[in-house]
């Protein structure tokens, strides 16, 4: 998007504003503090009005691709269009077609759109569920991680990802599987865009369409074979635990940002920092403690360890109370019954 800085209001004497948007950056020049509207009310406008003025696009806006399209044979556009068409065509791949047929979903009811996104480089990629996708238990996180980008994870490439689960009851995190994906995919030199599928059948009741349709990079991703003989995820337990602890804290932070709604989160890790690529509400058939204040809501974004310590303290207090009752020995039954304890 490119703005020419012009305005259709002849009564305004505010300074010229311009907005330039590229695929990766959006910048706007804020008006000077000395600028005033023609009726002299700008100085007294509310903060909301000021934000709207600063974020408003110019009246005249050009739209088009972020590269030169004057040449119909432009290689950049040809590669982009090929990726877009490939995503649309994936509606009729074998897995997707058979899945719709099995679910009795009419072809005309499923629509495929395409999202063009910049590929974010990452040393590791992850998918994280802030509620158990198996039992629906709130606060019981389940995550998977692979070397490289998430295409090998969500695309069901051969091999297993690293898998773990974490409960908010004070118990130790469980490492369920170590990574064994045969291949990792990485961002090529110079970066690339990716055409991602987005359908109206991602989370339908009784039909999980996520992962059935293709996502195609404009420039091919770089394949590498992970060296599991030296991979820290395999052999450096301290590094692995620190990484997974940070991932769980990230999950709590994202869930908290979305009003404690369980989230399905995708992202990458690079150079000691996490980046969330997308997050959406998690769809579950059953949910234990599903409402606000469930087991997951107690753990704030800043306090995974505090939440675990609290749960451990409560468990210890309950165990001490039971031990005290046992030590006291038999006594009157509940409600003045037969004299035997009722548990």
């Amino acid at each position: 998007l490119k703005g020419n800085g012009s305005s259709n209001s002849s009564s305004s004497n505010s300074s010229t504003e311009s907005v330039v948007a590229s695929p990766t950056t959006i910048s706007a020049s804020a008006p000077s503090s000395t600028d005033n509207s023609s009726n002299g009310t700008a100085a007294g406008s509310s903060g909301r009005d000021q934000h709207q003025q600063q974020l408003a696009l110019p009246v005249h806006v050009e739209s088009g691709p972020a590269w030169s399209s004057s040449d119909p044979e432009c290689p950049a556009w040809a590669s982009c269009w090929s990726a877009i068409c490939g995503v649309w065509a994936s509606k009729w791949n074998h897995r997707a077609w058979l899945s719709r047929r099995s679910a009795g979903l009419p072809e005309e009811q499923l629509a495929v759109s395409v999202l063009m996104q910049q590929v974010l480089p990452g040393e590791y990629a992850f998918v994280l569920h802030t509620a158990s996708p198996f039992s629906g238990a709130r606060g019981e996180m389940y995550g998977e991680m692979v070397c490289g980008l998430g295409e090998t994870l969500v695309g069901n490439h051969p091999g297993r990802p690293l898998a773990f689960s974490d409960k908010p009851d004070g118990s130790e995190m469980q490492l369920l599987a170590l990574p064994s994906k045969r291949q990792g995919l990485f961002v090529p030199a110079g970066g690339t865009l990716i055409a991602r599928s987005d359908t109206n059948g991602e989370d339908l009741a009784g039909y999980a369409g996520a992962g059935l349709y293709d996502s195609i990079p404009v420039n091919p991703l770089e394949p590498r074979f992970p060296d599991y003989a030296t991979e820290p995820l395999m052999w450096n337990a301290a590094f692995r635990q620190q990484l997974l602890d940070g991932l769980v804290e990230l999950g709590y932070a994202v869930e908290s940002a979305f009003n404690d709604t369980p989230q399905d989160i995708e992202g990458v890790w690079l150079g000691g920092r996490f980046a969330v690529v997308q997050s959406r509400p998690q769809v579950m058939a059953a949910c234990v403690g599903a409402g606000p204040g469930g087991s997951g809501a107690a753990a704030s974004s800043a306090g995974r360890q505090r939440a675990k310590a609290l749960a451990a303290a409560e468990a210890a207090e309950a165990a001490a109370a039971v031990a005290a009752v046992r030590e006291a020995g038999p006594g009157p039954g509940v409600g003045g019954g037969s004299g035997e304890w009722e548990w």
Side-chain angles (χ1 to χ4, degrees):
L1 300 176
K2 295 181 179 179
N4 65 355
S6 63
S7 173
N8 64 346
S9 175
S10 60
S11 60
S12 174
N13 61 3
S14 59
S15 63
T16 301
E17 296 183 23
S18 64
V19 176
V20 178
S22 72
T24 56
T25 61
I26 296 179
S27 61
S29 60
S32 169
S33 60
T34 59
D35 296 338
N36 296 300
S37 62
S38 59
N39 58 10
T41 60
S45 62
S46 66
R48 179 178 178 181
D49 292 338
Q50 292 175 1
H51 291 161
Q52 289 176 344
Q53 292 171 6
Q54 292 177 7
L55 296 177
L57 286 173
V59 174
H60 176 71
V61 175
E62 285 183 24
S63 63
W67 51 84
S68 174
S69 58
S70 57
D71 180 4
E73 301 300 325
C74 175
W77 170 244
S79 299
C80 238
W81 183 244
S82 175
I84 293 170
C85 291
V87 173
W88 280 332
S90 70
K91 177 180 178 179
W92 292 280
N93 69 45
H94 286 104
R95 290 180 62 233
W97 183 80
L98 290 173
S99 179
R100 291 194 301 274
R101 182 181 180 185
S102 176
L105 187 66
E107 294 292 327
E108 63 273 11
Q109 288 190 11
L110 188 127
V112 180
S113 60
V114 182
L115 303 176
M116 297 302 298
Q117 296 178 324
Q118 181 183 6
V119 180
L120 198 62
E123 189 173 346
Y124 304 115
F126 64 86
V127 171
L128 181 65
H129 300 276
T130 62
S132 171
F134 309 109
S135 67
R138 287 290 302 273
E140 182 179 336
M141 294 197 184
Y142 173 80
E144 295 181 341
M145 179 175 284
V146 295
C147 297
L149 301 177
E151 305 311 307
T152 60
L153 180 57
V154 300
N156 200 28
H157 288 218
R160 297 196 65 179
L162 180 148
F164 74 96
S165 67
D166 184 82
K167 298 180 179 179
D169 59 2
S171 60
E172 292 294 326
M173 179 184 294
Q174 289 186 313
L175 184 63
L176 304 177
L178 289 171
S180 63
K181 291 284 186 181
R182 301 174 189 175
Q183 192 178 70
L185 296 174
F186 296 84
V187 177
T192 185
L193 299 176
I194 189 168
R196 290 195 179 276
S197 60
D198 188 24
T199 77
N200 60 347
E202 296 282 335
D203 300 306
L204 296 178
Y207 177 78
L212 292 176
Y213 308 95
D214 296 340
S215 293
I216 303 175
V218 174
N219 299 317
L221 300 178
E222 181 182 327
R224 300 179 199 166
F225 294 102
D227 183 7
Y228 289 122
T230 59
E231 173 54 51
L233 281 181
M234 295 285 289
W235 304 106
N236 191 333
F239 168 78
R240 182 175 61 232
Q241 189 62 48
Q242 183 180 16
L243 191 66
L244 297 184
D245 283 345
L247 192 56
V248 170
E249 284 201 48
L250 174 68
Y252 283 136
V254 174
E255 184 179 83
S256 177
F258 289 101
N259 300 320
D260 295 325
T261 300
Q263 294 292 304
D264 178 355
I265 308 167
E266 295 180 20
V268 296
W269 182 91
L270 179 65
R273 300 186 66 179
F274 290 101
V276 172
V277 176
Q278 75 168 30
S279 184
R280 60 182 179 182
Q282 187 176 336
V283 177
M284 297 171 293
C287 195
V288 179
S295 60
S300 66
S301 59
R304 169 184 177 271
Q305 296 299 332
R306 290 200 303 271
K308 284 201 164 190
L310 178 61
E314 291 175 348
E317 185 179 353
V322 171
V325 171
R326 290 184 183 275
E327 186 177 353
V334 176
S338 63
E340 296 181 357
W341 286 100
E342 296 183 9
W343 298 94

